[in-house]
Amino acid sequence: MTDTAPSAPPEYPLLDLIDDPTDLRALPSSALKPLASELRAFLIDSVSRTGGHLAAGLGVVELSIALHRVFETPDDRIVWDVGHQAYPHKILTGRRQRMGRLRQKGGISGFPKRSESVYDSFGVGHSSTSLSAALGMSIAARLKGESRQVVAVIGDGSLGAGMAFEALNHGGPLDPNLLVILNDNEMSISPPVGALSKHLASLLSGRAYINVREGSKQALASLPELRQFVGRWEEHLKGMFMPSTLFEELGFNYIGPIDGHDLDAVITTLTNMKQMPGPRLLHLITQKGRGYTPAEQSPTRYHGVTPFDRATGKMHSKAGTGPTYTQVFGDWISDAAARDTRLIGITPAMREGSGLVSFSERFPDRYFDVGIAEQHAVTLAAGMACEGLKPVVAIYSSFLQRAYDQLVHDVCLQGLDVTLAVDRAGLVGADGATHAGSFDLSFARSQPNLVIAAPADENECWQLLETAYQHPGPALVRYPRGTGPGVALKRGAETLAIGRGEVRRLGREIALLAFGSRVPAAEAAGQALDATVANMRFVKPLDEALILELADQHRLLVTIEENAIAGGAGSAVSEVLAAHGLAVYCLHLGLPDLCLEQAGHEEQLRTCGLDAAGIEHSVRMEMEHIDLYAEASRADQRAA
């Protein structure tokens, strides 16, 4: 299928002229504000058809135009933090005609991606990486003798993460040619503040101010006491109007805040700051969802959207198929909290995504959103566990990667009673490789004291969450994005025996050992193959007795998991067999050793051979190989 842009009206005469930023830079200044209106309208129209991230991009339309107007991209580098807000950037950099296939198989990614465009200078998806990457690029340019600008665009939420402050702390003293743009969409702007800030920004970024400031430094070099006084006076004057002198203390020349939707002011300030030496930071105030009333009124709801009716903002919903695993978790944690006052809910800035809205409203004193700070979230839980509380950390699988040391050092090595509810385990469809939970079994199962469970359905998810919570030590429950097979919930405090699986179907010759989300597909394949099907439930500890029993009674063991094959559950089964000296044919099915790009979840599973048909095909091929090998062995014996 050919990538196509939305074809319905309205038309976009200015946007149609722009194939890359050189066309943008050739436009007269009078055309830029009408262009911003067209770009915003196109973004709304496009995302209303495909779904994706909307509100963040609407907030940086003017900034995106200004950046490509002022800077010589792609020679100058722009690094977008996270990338949710980068759709306008993609539209302006030659990908407008491909927006109709956004986040679809064969289409463009929802995040900046180096292999997709020379204008995407750094691949992103997780937050707070932009400053470190941009600093590295700036240092590289200096070492290579290359003259270029490097710009990092980071939101106020991302700036709260430790990694961002590490880059600021390291970068300032190095005096890099680096511009940091703080996209602050949390504050509202009253007209007087906006006007004053605009005036100050123009003043402080202009050549006159720079020349006076630098000239004064040289002139006063021999008069340190007077120079110190003037420096204090300058900081005092700026401190009267600036939000903070924090960035100045870190070595960055701070400009702002200014209205990020005042295109003329943003372009003027960026033009001035482009000429400034050293590290500098521009503070913009923007509105998430700007220009689309439903998104302005509910920016969180319109952060990530399904296709929607542009006129009303109503999102198109899929036919009801029961609760998602996220909703099961949300119901369970509220139920468990009502039974146990020691339960604490912790999330790193994913209240809505992790299903904690109801819990946060019912138990506000026991709910902690720590911001984009996964490392802190896990160690915070460890500290609470030391004092007899029972924390539950709700976290995406791909975000748990960022807290691996804390999982190892602060939780597992101490055997602390922390429950990890790991959402988005496995493939995640349109969000692609950056958000896929492909590795949690591989990196977690090596940790001492840690129980790891993977539910096969919604009710088992509830039971295993309760099992993990009641276990007096670290425990991790991983569950996929979306809905399950539709098993009804039996709410309550029922638990399952740790380290025990179950046989769901008895068959001949072949045993399918399925973990978590792949159990339903294994059952369907088992029916076609007349194979035994086991729901293993636990990755650690494994049900060794069941594995040995199945190995004794079957010619082929097939492990099936929605995790990387390397180091995953299948590897754990092979380790058990090797430890007992058993030579059994094994086939491991899971995620391949590659970064699987965006597509529908079912499409991704088919690509990996993890749907029922793919499992059946792989098993039949393996049995053919086993039979051929057996026949060859018999022939060799007859010949001997």
Side-chain angles (χ1 to χ4, degrees):
M1 181 181 291
T2 304
D3 292 341
T4 58
S7 57
E11 296 180 353
Y12 310 98
L14 289 170
L15 205 54
D16 287 343
L17 298 175
I18 298 176
D19 292 323
D20 61 52
T22 58
D23 298 323
L24 168 60
R25 292 191 280 271
L27 289 177
S29 297
S30 60
L32 296 183
K33 289 181 181 178
L35 173 64
S37 297
E38 288 188 20
L39 178 55
R40 185 167 274 114
F42 180 90
L43 177 62
I44 296 167
D45 189 52
S46 178
V47 177
S48 74
R49 300 163 186 268
T50 62
H53 294 102
L54 179 63
L58 290 173
V60 296
V61 165
E62 288 81 9
L63 174 60
S64 301
I65 292 172
L67 284 170
H68 288 292
R69 176 78 169 187
V70 172
F71 294 95
E72 297 294 326
T73 55
D75 290 335
D76 289 337
R77 312 296 198 225
I78 299 175
V79 182
W80 297 90
D81 204 88
V82 184
H84 294 147
Q85 75 280 54
Y87 292 5
H89 158 80
K90 285 177 179 268
I91 294 166
L92 294 171
T93 54
R95 286 166 279 184
R96 177 170 57 89
Q97 298 295 335
R98 302 177 63 194
M99 287 295 289
R101 296 283 294 166
L102 177 73
R103 291 165 32 101
Q104 299 173 29
K105 186 175 183 179
I108 60 175
S109 171
F111 302 97
K113 185 176 179 183
R114 282 171 54 83
S115 61
E116 185 178 291
S117 172
V118 294
Y119 293 94
D120 293 354
S121 58
F122 195 71
V124 293
H126 293 189
S127 83
S128 314
T129 63
S130 60
L131 302 189
S132 296
L135 177 60
M137 293 174 185
S138 178
I139 293 171
R142 182 170 64 191
L143 293 175
K144 294 164 66 178
E146 297 173 349
S147 176
R148 66 162 50 95
Q149 300 288 328
V150 182
V151 182
V153 183
I154 187 168
D156 53 302
S158 296
L159 192 65
M163 187 174 177
F165 277 101
E166 291 169 12
L168 289 172
N169 184 57
H170 177 225
L174 298 179
D175 198 35
N177 183 19
L178 173 64
L179 170 61
V180 175
I181 297 178
L182 172 57
N183 175 37
D184 185 348
N185 55 28
E186 287 293 321
M187 294 173 61
S188 60
I189 314 167
S190 61
V193 173
L196 179 58
S197 295
K198 178 179 176 181
H199 172 72
L200 284 173
S202 298
L203 173 66
L204 295 173
S205 64
R207 282 204 170 275
Y209 171 79
I210 296 171
N211 290 338
V212 169
R213 184 183 189 187
E214 297 304 314
S216 297
K217 288 180 180 179
Q218 296 176 13
L220 297 173
S222 59
L223 301 171
E225 293 181 0
L226 184 57
R227 183 183 180 189
Q228 185 179 18
F229 167 77
V230 172
R232 286 199 302 268
W233 173 84
E234 179 188 45
E235 292 304 316
H236 176 71
L237 179 64
K238 292 178 69 175
M240 292 173 61
F241 304 106
M242 304 302 171
S244 172
T245 57
L246 169 65
F247 300 112
E248 295 277 358
E249 294 295 332
L250 290 169
F252 283 75
N253 191 6
Y254 173 94
I255 304 295
I258 68 170
D259 181 356
H261 301 297
D262 185 335
L263 187 54
D264 291 337
V266 175
I267 289 175
T268 299
T269 305
L270 284 177
T271 301
N272 288 334
M273 295 189 76
K274 183 179 178 180
Q275 309 304 319
M276 295 170 65
R280 57 264 192 226
L281 186 143
L282 172 61
H283 185 175
L284 297 183
I285 305 297
T286 63
Q287 180 185 18
K288 200 170 183 179
R290 177 82 169 198
Y292 186 55
T293 301
E296 289 181 354
Q297 294 175 344
S298 184
T300 298
R301 183 164 183 254
Y302 285 86
H303 171 74
V305 299
T306 59
F308 62 92
D309 184 317
R310 177 177 176 172
T312 65
K314 183 178 179 181
M315 296 185 205
H316 305 323
S317 57
K318 298 180 180 178
T321 54
T324 64
Y325 281 100
T326 301
Q327 290 169 332
V328 172
F329 165 75
D331 290 348
W332 169 80
I333 194 172
S334 290
D335 183 88
R339 290 184 273 112
D340 188 348
T341 58
R342 297 173 299 166
L343 188 150
I344 305 294
I346 300 172
T347 179
M350 296 303 297
R351 185 184 75 151
E352 287 76 16
S354 291
L356 285 169
V357 173
S358 178
F359 175 85
S360 69
E361 293 170 347
R362 290 183 59 187
F363 306 98
D365 293 340
R366 291 193 271 156
Y367 167 73
F368 294 89
D369 183 342
V370 302
I372 304 173
E374 294 85 358
Q375 295 172 312
H376 169 58
V378 173
T379 303
L380 176 71
M384 290 177 173
C386 287
E387 299 303 320
L389 298 180
K390 289 182 68 67
V392 177
V393 180
I395 190 168
Y396 287 9
S397 171
S398 61
F399 298 161
L400 182 59
Q401 295 164 187
R402 311 185 77 176
Y404 187 54
D405 180 62
Q406 288 67 35
L407 174 65
V408 176
H409 182 270
D410 300 335
V411 175
C412 291
L413 293 187
Q414 301 187 84
L416 293 175
D417 190 358
V418 174
T419 300
L420 294 146
V422 179
D423 202 338
R424 272 65 166 181
L427 300 170
V428 291
D431 279 340
T434 58
H435 285 61
S438 306
F439 311 113
D440 55 84
L441 293 183
S442 302
F443 69 67
R445 74 177 188 85
S446 61
Q447 295 312 306
N449 303 316
L450 181 64
V451 170
I452 305 175
D457 56 54
E458 299 91 332
N459 188 56
E460 196 166 273
C461 184
W462 183 293
Q463 293 173 319
L464 288 175
L465 284 166
E466 185 67 29
T467 302
Y469 181 72
Q470 291 193 25
H471 173 65
L476 182 157
V477 181
R478 73 175 324 245
Y479 44 90
R481 182 179 191 172
T483 57
V487 176
L489 293 177
K490 298 178 182 177
R491 301 167 185 268
E494 181 181 353
T495 61
L496 298 172
I498 291 178
R500 295 290 299 276
E502 63 170 356
V503 174
R504 290 201 168 184
R505 185 186 190 280
L506 286 172
R508 301 180 302 110
E509 292 196 302
I510 303 162
L512 307 181
L513 286 66
F515 294 84
S517 64
R518 293 299 85 214
V519 171
E523 289 184 289
Q527 187 70 32
L529 295 164
D530 190 21
T532 295
V533 179
N535 168 23
M536 297 303 295
R537 284 182 178 154
F538 290 89
V539 178
K540 185 177 183 180
L542 282 168
D543 189 339
E544 292 196 16
L546 178 56
I547 293 171
L548 297 177
E549 178 184 340
L550 295 174
D552 182 60
Q553 297 174 358
H554 299 81
R555 294 178 65 197
L556 172 66
L557 300 187
V558 183
T559 64
I560 308 167
E561 61 188 302
E562 198 171 343
N563 184 86
I565 295 173
S571 297
V573 171
S574 287
E575 290 164 11
V576 169
L577 296 173
H580 287 271
L582 297 179
V584 183
Y585 287 111
C586 287
L587 172 63
H588 299 315
L589 301 180
L591 302 182
D593 188 21
L594 54 83
C595 299
L596 203 65
E597 302 304 336
Q598 74 276 354
H601 185 226
E602 295 302 320
E603 289 181 285
Q604 291 178 322
L605 291 172
R606 284 195 296 272
T607 298
C608 297
L610 290 176
D611 61 340
I615 293 168
E616 180 186 347
H617 174 74
S618 296
V619 172
R620 291 192 186 280
M621 293 292 293
E622 187 70 14
M623 286 301 293
E624 286 183 15
H625 295 155
I626 291 172
D627 289 340
L628 287 172
Y629 180 77
E631 179 59 33
S633 297
R634 287 193 292 269
D636 289 343
Q637 291 174 356
R638 288 193 297 269

